[in-house]
Amino acid sequence: MAYMRAAALADLWEGEMMGVRVGGVPVLLVHLDDGLHAFVDRCAHQAVPLSDGTLTGEVLVCAAHGWSYDARTGCGLNPAQARLQSIPVQIVGGEILVDVAAPRSVGGAP
């Protein structure tokens, strides 16, 4: 795995999300009470950036058509069969690092 810097942890408070580009890949970072989560920043519906949408608690909602996802797992809430591609994420020395070469599909229902 080749982790690359996405952002400083201090720039993303708990309860917030942020869209960034890492190695040319759009990445959505989500900071929840259980830690950081990273996904390819594209809705499964029409590839609209989820970073343009909203985060309410643990629910991501796409700005274009209202598709919603569990921000902890990337599993679809509406519709349930939708899935986001998760990206491995870690924190090292106050920096958020992601491995954009290793996105993986999310499986199972929330």
Side-chain angles (χ1 to χ4, degrees), residues 5-18:
R5 183 186 186 279
L9 181 59
D11 293 337
L12 185 61
W13 292 14
E14 187 176 309
E16 293 184 336
M17 68 177 176
M18 170 192 301

Side-chain angles (χ1 to χ4, degrees), residues 9-61:
L9 181 59
D11 293 337
L12 185 61
W13 292 14
E14 187 176 309
E16 293 184 336
M17 68 177 176
M18 170 192 301
V20 296
R21 288 192 84 74
V22 179
V25 176
V27 176
L28 177 68
L29 301 171
V30 183
H31 191 176
L32 299 174
D33 61 357
D34 70 338
L36 283 169
H37 304 272
F39 304 98
V40 174
D41 190 11
R42 294 289 180 253
C43 179
H45 181 217
Q46 291 186 338
V48 172
L50 285 169
S51 56
D52 291 343
T54 59
L55 175 65
T56 304
E58 301 162 4
V59 178
L60 290 167
V61 179

